[in-house]
Amino acid sequence: MSEVRVDPLSGTRSVVAAHRGDRPGAFLPVTPPQPVDPATDPFAPGNEHETPPEVHAVREDGSAPDTPGWRVRAVPNRFPVVTAEGEEPEPVARRELFTAQAATGAHEVVVNAPEGVQSLGDLPVEQVELAMGVWRARMRAHAERAACLHLFVNERPEGGASLPHTHAQLVALDFVPAQVARERERFAAHAVRTMGGDLLQDLVQEEVKQRKRLVAYDDDCVLLAAYAPRTAFQLLLAPRAGRERWEDEAGPSGAALLHDALQRLRRVLGAMPPLNLWIRTAPRGAERFCWRIDVLPRLAHQAGLELGTGLGVTPVAPEDVAAQLRAAAG
């Protein structure tokens, strides 16, 4: 039987239709990718001239900027979504119908490792921690000006990656997108209803108590199968103690548990799946908030129902996902 669930954090609805997992083509095949060709890889060491000049790098050998010797490297995106100086759109006749503004902000790429691998899950946990440290540093570099910081990873062409070498992207926006604003409002409303409660922390406490969707935890963070997933095997990683901003140096990054999550997905699915993940951190104007990391494997195509209504549809129950991933501990 199908069930409509409401995401506690965003208010969006998803349909859990586990019986649809038996239909032909319910899941896309998950196969290992072809190796990255270093000759055509602009992120490979030795090809630094193929990217814009670096804005940040971890270099343990004292090597010069824009040369080999780096462990993690951040550069401006060659094809940015937003730019520091945007052109104002032409005036329009009816602003109540047609609104536009300059798309200003910043768009950077963080190359997660010099090794030509396609997934964070192919890196040792120490390298993931190092890469995520640079993610944080670049977010802090833009935090004062940006209204919303969105750090994300696309893996494989099915996940929207245009280059195979593992990398993250940071977009610093001068406005708060509607979905993020909705979550900000739900955190604020929950705090009012509960006389100061934290929406995500209350959710984590209840999930740990129920244990139905709990996958794993460590000293700092908790990994859950999302209650109302948009896609099959969607995961949510959150801190055990609430913190508004992921980029703050003082708090945990969740790197170790994220690495563990990717290994579990690999074991259950047979190979590292195409996926998207992103960091949700407090946007401007958030009175109450808690950061999280969302992981969305790309195991099926979105079609007319999902695209036309905004509904998530998954052919596997999150409770079953959690059970499979719990059993896949290393």
Side-chain angles (χ1 to χ4, degrees), residues 170-229:
L170 171 62
V171 178
L173 299 169
D174 60 7
F175 64 94
V176 180
Q179 181 168 318
V180 183
R182 181 191 305 159
E183 293 177 15
R184 178 183 62 189
E185 292 161 4
R186 289 179 70 86
F187 269 87
H190 181 82
V192 171
R193 286 196 307 270
T194 59
M195 301 183 66
D198 182 304
L199 176 58
L200 182 50
Q201 287 298 293
D202 288 353
L203 174 64
V204 166
Q205 289 179 16
E206 187 62 27
E207 289 282 27
V208 171
K209 182 192 305 182
Q210 293 186 16
R211 306 187 76 84
K212 295 179 180 178
R213 289 168 294 275
L214 177 64
V215 175
Y217 60 90
D218 59 18
D219 291 342
D220 298 318
C221 297
V222 173
L223 179 67
L224 305 169
Y227 171 73

Side-chain angles (χ1 to χ4, degrees), residues 17-224:
H19 61 282
R20 287 175 59 81
D22 296 329
R23 81 189 197 281
F27 297 100
L28 297 175
V30 179
T31 57
Q34 294 296 315
V36 179
D37 181 0
T40 60
D41 179 9
F43 296 155
N47 291 344
E48 289 80 8
H49 61 282
E50 297 186 23
T51 71
E54 65 192 44
V55 294
H56 185 105
V58 176
R59 294 177 175 275
E60 299 171 350
D61 61 356
S63 52
D66 300 312
T67 66
W70 52 273
R71 297 303 303 157
V72 183
R73 185 169 181 259
V75 300
N77 194 303
R78 289 184 62 190
F79 306 98
V81 172
V82 292
T83 57
E85 302 296 333
E87 293 185 6
E88 288 297 327
E90 295 182 3
V92 296
R94 297 188 60 180
R95 287 193 173 273
E96 75 277 13
L97 296 176
F98 306 104
T99 61
Q101 66 184 61
T104 55
H107 190 174
E108 295 181 359
V109 173
V110 179
V111 186
N112 294 321
E115 293 79 16
V117 300
Q118 300 201 30
S119 174
L120 282 172
D122 295 327
L123 299 173
V125 64
E126 296 80 12
Q127 184 66 31
V128 175
E129 291 171 345
L130 192 65
M132 292 177 77
V134 174
W135 299 0
R136 281 178 144 177
R138 296 314 302 160
M139 291 174 77
R140 290 194 300 272
H142 295 283
E144 184 174 346
R145 176 179 174 180
C148 181
L149 295 168
H150 190 61
L151 188 292
F152 62 97
V153 175
N154 300 332
E155 294 191 352
R156 310 273 294 271
E158 301 93 326
S162 56
L163 293 170
H165 192 132
T166 178
H167 64 283
Q169 297 184 61
L170 171 62
V171 178
L173 299 169
D174 60 7
F175 64 94
V176 180
Q179 181 168 318
V180 183
R182 181 191 305 159
E183 293 177 15
R184 178 183 62 189
E185 292 161 4
R186 289 179 70 86
F187 269 87
H190 181 82
V192 171
R193 286 196 307 270
T194 59
M195 301 183 66
D198 182 304
L199 176 58
L200 182 50
Q201 287 298 293
D202 288 353
L203 174 64
V204 166
Q205 289 179 16
E206 187 62 27
E207 289 282 27
V208 171
K209 182 192 305 182
Q210 293 186 16
R211 306 187 76 84
K212 295 179 180 178
R213 289 168 294 275
L214 177 64
V215 175
Y217 60 90
D218 59 18
D219 291 342
D220 298 318
C221 297
V222 173
L223 179 67
L224 305 169

Side-chain angles (χ1 to χ4, degrees), residues 235-253:
L235 302 176
L236 184 155
L237 189 156
R240 294 180 66 169
R243 301 190 69 90
E244 289 188 356
R245 292 173 177 82
W246 179 82
E247 62 271 22
D248 291 345
E249 286 186 278
S253 70

